[in-house]
Amino acid sequence: MSTPTRRQFINAPDDVIDEALEGLVLANPHLLKLDPAERLVSRVTPATKKVGLLSGGGSGHEPLHAGLVGTGMLDVAVAGAVFASPTASQVRAGTLLADSGAGVLHIVKNYTGDVLNFQIAAELAEDDVVVESVLVDDDLATTSTNGGPGRRGTAATVVVEKVCGALAEAGADLSTVAARGRDVVARSRSLAVALDSCAHPGQSQPAFELPDDLVEFGVGIHGERGTGRIPFASADELVEQLVDPLVQDLSLRSGDGVIAVINGLGSTYPLELAIITRQVHRLLAARGITVARTLTGSYVTSLDMHGASVTLTVADDELVRAWDAPVRTPSLTW
Amino acid sequence: MATAVTNGVIIDWLARFHDIVAKQRAYLTELDSAIGDADHGVNMDRGLAQVVAMLDQPADGSDASTGALLERIGNALLTSLGGAPGPLYSALFLGAGAAAGERTRLDPAELADSLRAGLAELVRRGSAESGDKTMFDALDPAVQALQKAADDGAGLGPATAAAAAAAVAGREATAPMLARKGRASYLGERSIGHVDPGAASATMLVIALVEAVAQG
């Protein structure tokens, strides 16, 4: 039960976000620029006459969202404090920046703070910009109870941003891009498991502690506890517990195809993610489900959480074409 | 002891709200670690510090009325406070400001009416209901107690004290509740047994009002 105190490469907790954004832009001067006052990361060369894509949210999920700004994906990312939505006025500023005359799409993960701030920002900007919004709610662990906030938005956000980015780049109009984004959300489900929690910058203790023989099942991306604890087991056994409910919920049948995202939550290392990926493929192949494309890596993280999520998106040819379209961002390029 | 809420009392109210939140930052974060994402204390402290700094620079003559000041606070909260608390506390002040209108002082009944309108705006944004285990569970009983005290002819001091007592009771009553809104709701049954962090910070808002009135 004893978790050793964690040390972090930080200067001061209050400076973490600003310094990290500065570092990201210094590393990618050919791609990104920064408005430090509003914490907006945007393309160094703004796109012209296309639907603007804006996303954002609390920090701590890097490379989401600023690492996914660039050709073929986002126009602007707006960063909040760790795990706290940016303010409505930040989002409004980002919306104005993302607009090149064809309207702006907000890609919003389903959390109360994000939903409220993006909604108010859209209202504040409505005299200047036409805004539509796609709400990402893929986390199967939080399937809605009556009157609750609904499923959380997690790693399917990457698929939504990629596919919407491809359509926007190809010149689709705002309502088309938004409709496709909502369609991707409807086709996507995720589930995650964690072997260890995460610690906020400047805090030495993790958000929760786990005994050695248990893992936290159904975690989100904010260090919050999951839906319950299950026995620690081999990678193959744990992955099976992630994949089975996804296959069931998406009603996947033999002959169907998916895009699979195997996502690390912060301190899961590449060897582990590759082992998880292998088992995802094996389980799906055994059911006759084709994995059309796979993305393996840490894209939607929860600070230094040791965990992984699996996202499946039901794919068709059009979706795969949008997925394959060129992209050039700090964290996703092909 | 102030007998009516003036702009001076309101500015002091916000400063005291920030002071209490700053002192209780670890407590709020601890509550949020249990059923949320462990950032409520940090987030509120940082955002309110900016709001208080903005209030030190009055807009050009726009604070002539209480309503204008309350609305300026509402807008400052939208600019400074992230997460769900920003829009929700903002709604409370924007709604209260719109109701207070051109008045330059609010007696207990007018204060209750103004805060009731603010609460309605908060509910319009957050759609929380009584018993959902949110800030509403502290604020709604507080405004009801304020209203009742005003109806009974109480002065501002006793009326706000009654509101604070009701907020504290409302905050404590959130512990056995099953969360139905916000991040705590994802925990389902595991949210039971913990005080709601939003109800805790909302109670600090009411306690700060009592202090500002007492010193006014």
Side-chain angles (χ1 to χ4, degrees):
Chain A
M1 195 83 179
S2 71
T3 308
T5 296
R6 298 179 197 198
R7 297 185 294 176
Q8 298 156 336
F9 287 108
I10 66 167
N11 297 308
D14 286 347
D15 297 336
V16 164
I17 307 308
D18 293 320
E19 292 179 358
L21 290 175
E22 192 181 339
L24 175 72
V25 173
L26 285 170
N28 297 279
H30 55 303
L31 292 176
L32 304 180
K33 67 179 171 192
L34 174 66
D35 172 350
E38 300 286 1
R39 288 182 174 162
L40 303 175
V41 173
S42 59
R43 299 186 190 184
V44 70
T45 311
T48 50
K49 285 288 166 196
K50 72 173 253 312
V51 171
L53 260 58
L54 171 74
S55 194
S59 294
H61 307 305
E62 293 69 23
L64 196 79
H65 294 272
L68 301 175
V69 172
T71 311
M73 243 166 141
L74 299 178
D75 291 276
V76 179
V78 50
V82 172
F83 295 166
S85 156
T87 66
S89 63
Q90 279 178 276
V91 179
R92 175 183 175 275
T95 304
L96 297 177
L97 183 61
D99 184 40
S100 63
V104 171
L105 182 67
H106 285 177
I107 298 172
V108 186
K109 302 193 295 305
N110 188 27
Y111 299 98
T112 308
D114 294 85
V115 170
L116 287 172
N117 282 297
F118 277 79
Q119 198 172 56
I120 293 170
E123 291 168 16
L124 292 173
E126 70 186 356
D127 289 343
D128 305 303
V129 190
V130 182
V131 176
E132 285 221 38
S133 163
V134 173
L135 192 64
V136 184
D137 62 346
D138 53 311
D139 180 27
L140 191 54
T142 45
T143 293
S144 192
T145 51
N146 283 343
R151 288 187 302 263
R152 292 181 291 226
T154 60
T157 311
V158 176
V159 186
V160 174
E161 291 178 359
K162 176 68 189 74
V163 169
C164 289
L167 262 67
E169 217 71 53
D173 65 17
L174 179 60
S175 59
T176 305
V177 180
R180 194 54 169 153
R182 290 178 198 125
D183 175 56
V184 172
V185 173
R187 293 160 173 265
S188 300
R189 292 291 182 274
S190 302
L191 256 186
V193 65
L195 310 185
D196 236 328
S197 182
C198 58
H200 276 252
Q203 288 178 17
S204 58
Q205 292 303 319
F208 61 81
E209 291 196 11
L210 275 167
D212 291 342
D213 58 341
L214 293 177
V215 303
E216 191 84 20
F217 188 78
V219 292
I221 52 173
H222 299 91
E224 68 271 63
R225 298 190 299 169
T227 49
R229 290 176 178 187
I230 59 171
F232 178 55
S234 69
D236 283 356
E237 289 171 275
L238 290 174
V239 171
E240 196 165 355
Q241 301 197 56
L242 297 178
V243 170
D244 280 349
L246 296 175
V247 168
Q248 203 170 3
D249 197 77
L250 290 168
S251 305
L252 288 169
R253 301 218 164 87
S254 181
D256 288 343
V258 296
I259 292 173
V261 179
I262 291 85
N263 176 59
L265 291 177
S267 60
T268 311
Y269 54 84
L271 277 177
E272 294 177 288
L273 291 176
I275 290 166
I276 294 169
T277 301
R278 168 182 175 270
Q279 175 68 344
V280 169
H281 274 252
R282 285 159 57 106
L283 291 169
L284 293 174
R287 289 163 177 76
I289 298 159
T290 307
V291 184
R293 298 291 182 272
T294 306
L295 181 68
T296 295
S298 295
Y299 293 95
V300 182
T301 60
S302 180
L303 294 169
D304 62 345
M305 179 172 268
H306 190 186
S309 64
V310 175
T311 301
L312 299 181
T313 302
V314 184
D316 54 26
D317 290 346
E318 193 192 332
L319 197 72
V320 173
R321 269 199 302 279
W323 181 261
D324 285 345
V327 59
R328 190 158 183 249
T329 71
S331 296
L332 209 62
T333 292
W334 56 68
Chain B
M1 173 76 71
T3 54
V5 171
T6 60
N7 282 2
V9 170
I10 291 170
I11 287 172
D12 189 39
W13 176 22
L14 263 290
R16 289 174 184 278
F17 182 34
H18 175 240
D19 282 348
I20 296 172
V21 165
K23 286 196 189 95
Q24 300 290 331
R25 172 175 152 141
Y27 162 70
L28 289 175
T29 292
E30 189 187 314
L31 292 179
D32 200 26
S33 298
I35 58 169
D37 58 357
D39 73 344
H40 191 53
V42 176
N43 188 45
M44 290 290 295
D45 181 15
R46 182 182 44 231
L48 290 176
Q50 287 183 36
V51 171
V52 170
M54 288 167 86
L55 292 183
D56 287 342
Q57 305 150 11
D60 313 331
S62 62
D63 288 350
S65 72
T66 305
L69 176 60
L70 289 170
E71 287 186 7
R72 189 155 76 90
I73 293 167
N75 286 322
L77 283 160
L78 275 189
T79 308
S80 304
L81 184 57
L88 295 176
Y89 278 107
S90 166
L92 181 67
F93 279 90
L94 289 176
E102 294 304 307
R103 293 188 182 86
T104 52
R105 56 197 300 286
L106 305 176
D107 67 22
E110 290 167 335
L111 177 66
D113 287 346
S114 165
L115 291 177
R116 169 62 58 203
L119 208 50
E121 186 63 14
L122 186 152
V123 168
R124 193 180 70 80
R125 279 289 174 204
S127 66
E129 292 171 17
S130 188
D132 281 351
K133 198 180 181 98
T134 70
M135 58 197 288
F136 184 76
D137 289 313
L139 291 175
D140 184 49
V143 174
Q144 285 184 32
L146 181 66
Q147 189 91 58
K148 182 174 184 308
D151 289 349
D152 293 347
L156 188 62
T160 52
V168 168
R171 176 193 71 198
E172 294 307 307
T174 62
M177 290 176 185
L178 177 78
R180 286 199 292 260
K181 285 282 183 294
R183 234 164 253 176
S185 68
Y186 300 134
L187 287 172
E189 301 276 331
R190 291 205 279 174
S191 66
I192 292 173
H194 302 277
V195 166
D196 178 65
S201 69
T203 300
M204 293 172 190
L205 177 69
V206 185
I207 291 171
L209 177 61
V210 177
E211 290 183 5
V213 166
Q215 298 299 317

